Amino acid sequence: MFLCGISATLCGGKTKEGVFVGVLLSMSSTAVVLKFLMEKNSINALHGQVTVGILVLQDCAVGLLFALLPILSGASGLLHGVASMTKSLVLLISFLGILSILSRTCVPWFLKLMISLSSQTNELYQLAAVAFCLLFAWCSDKLGLSLELGSFAAGVMISTTDLAQHTLEQIEPIRNLFAALFLASIGMLINVHFLWNHVDILLAAVILVITIKTFIVSIVVKGFGYNNKTSLLVGMSLAQIGEFAFVLLSRASSIHLIEGKLYLLLLGTTALSLVTTPLLFKMIPAVVHLGVLLRWFSVDSNQVELGLKGEVLRIDSGKRINLIIQGPHDS
């Protein structure tokens, strides 16, 4: 937000629009990134854990960012804006506190009840799990927090129970369906005519966003003591603009914080950055391999140990072959 505000001021633009662009760019896609981390089995890796932690805090900050928009547009005074942000912060802490209590009391009982009622079929348990997540997503939205925060918190509540793995297996097919609907809804927002007329600006904007976000996030993660490999992987994972940017854009447009052309440009940039996320994740193995070759990354101890085990295995195999060959001659 600070960098975008300074850049807008130096380029002759409006500072408030620059700060809003910074708000937009600071968000990353929880739904898309988590999906690819799970597909790559990287959710428990060090860079996966750091990425998930940052995504959770971004979702928690959505309510505060909503309260910031009227201040930027001048629709409310500074005092009113600070009061609104304080209210959002109190709601967030209270909401998470209540969910923490429920996860220890009601949630295990509810899941065990559903699994006992659906002993013959799994459809009831699947519907109960989906309804459970949608309920908390709806509650968080009504409180002025993000839908993502509520649904993510519901998943965390389920993960604290003994039925976490069973629930994940049951809802995995439904998860892919919701992911397809999510991507389809993004496509419906795109103005194809505008994209075609400004394809050069959009491509440049997407490349700039991915490059700068990767660099900034990598520098921040590196500043907390993580190695070069972890820092770069986290930066690449968070290089896109989050899906919640669409809601922020709609809100900013309704209070006349941004103009129509800037709205369409940011909308297209956000959508295209989400589309490029699968390509970035496919590039990660090549980037890691290049980093090892250039000695930017240190070789993992697991890989070294694996290599040593391979050498020992080859030596043992060679000895066994020699024994087998020498055996008949000795006899």
Side-chain angles (χ1 to χ4, degrees):
M1 290 165 60
F2 175 77
L3 291 175
C4 289
I6 293 295
S7 300
T9 303
L10 294 177
C11 294
K14 297 179 180 179
T15 305
K16 61 180 183 179
E17 289 186 353
V19 173
F20 172 74
V21 172
V23 170
L24 202 72
L25 298 184
S26 65
M27 304 300 294
S28 299
S29 176
T30 304
V32 174
V33 173
L34 282 179
K35 183 177 185 299
F36 282 101
L37 285 176
M38 290 179 181
E39 288 182 355
K40 301 293 183 180
N41 293 323
S42 300
I43 199 74
N44 293 321
L46 180 59
H47 73 275
Q49 291 292 300
V50 176
T51 301
V52 171
I54 295 175
L55 289 171
V56 171
L57 287 179
Q58 286 182 357
D59 290 340
C60 291
V62 168
L64 301 178
L65 295 178
F66 262 114
L68 180 64
L69 294 185
I71 302 176
L72 292 177
S73 65
S76 64
L78 180 60
L79 185 61
H80 183 271
V82 171
S84 180
M85 294 182 70
T86 304
K87 178 183 176 183
S88 298
L89 186 60
V90 171
L91 281 174
L92 173 63
I93 296 174
S94 302
F95 181 69
L96 295 179
I98 293 173
L99 295 191
S100 177
I101 296 172
L102 291 177
S103 65
R104 293 185 176 91
T105 55
C106 299
V107 176
W109 171 82
F110 173 74
L111 294 179
K112 290 177 182 178
L113 175 63
M114 289 298 104
I115 202 169
S116 63
L117 293 176
S118 58
S119 56
Q120 301 297 327
T121 178
N122 291 323
E123 283 79 1
L124 179 60
Y125 191 85
Q126 290 175 340
L127 291 174
V130 173
F132 179 84
C133 296
L134 292 178
L135 173 63
F136 285 98
W138 177 80
C139 291
S140 65
D141 181 60
K142 289 299 180 182
L143 291 173
L145 305 172
S146 66
L147 285 167
E148 292 176 321
L149 176 62
S151 56
F152 186 86
V156 172
M157 292 168 68
I158 294 176
S159 70
T160 59
T161 66
D162 297 332
L163 296 172
Q165 186 61 35
H166 177 72
T167 307
L168 183 61
E169 293 173 356
Q170 294 300 318
I171 66 172
E172 188 143 4
I174 308 175
R175 183 185 67 184
N176 296 330
L177 174 62
F178 279 122
L181 290 174
F182 163 70
L183 294 174
S185 64
I186 292 177
M188 295 176 189
L189 293 172
I190 300 303
N191 188 327
V192 179
H193 182 70
F194 180 83
L195 288 177
W196 181 255
N197 290 337
H198 301 84
V199 63
D200 51 345
I201 300 176
L202 284 172
L203 290 177
V206 171
I207 294 173
L208 194 63
V209 166
I210 292 175
T211 304
I212 291 179
K213 284 198 70 174
T214 300
F215 176 75
I216 292 177
V217 174
S218 300
I219 292 297
V220 171
V221 176
K222 179 66 177 177
F224 281 90
Y226 292 95
N227 57 39
N228 294 335
K229 178 182 175 182
T230 301
S231 302
L232 183 59
L233 292 182
V234 174
M236 292 181 66
S237 300
L238 300 176
Q240 75 291 133
I241 305 175
E243 62 278 348
F244 211 80
F246 295 113
V247 185
L248 290 171
L249 277 172
S250 177
R251 175 64 175 164
S253 178
S254 64
I255 61 178
H256 306 291
L257 178 58
I258 56 175
E259 300 177 354
K261 290 184 178 180
L262 180 59
Y263 169 78
L264 292 175
L265 176 63
L266 292 174
L267 190 67
T269 304
T270 302
L272 288 180
S273 72
L274 285 170
V275 172
T276 58
T277 302
L279 300 178
L280 286 176
F281 273 91
K282 289 182 179 180
M283 290 173 57
I284 284 179
V287 171
V288 172
H289 182 66
L290 179 62
V292 172
L293 291 178
L294 297 177
R295 296 184 178 179
W296 294 342
F297 306 150
S298 59
V299 181
D300 293 341
S301 59
N302 292 335
Q303 294 177 348
V304 174
E305 184 181 354
L306 201 58
L308 292 175
K309 288 181 179 178
E311 293 293 334
V312 173
L313 183 61
R314 283 194 290 271
I315 293 172
D316 291 342
S317 300
K319 290 180 179 178
R320 289 176 184 175
I321 291 173
N322 289 333
L323 289 174
I324 293 173
I325 293 174
Q326 292 174 2
H329 295 289
D330 294 339
S331 61

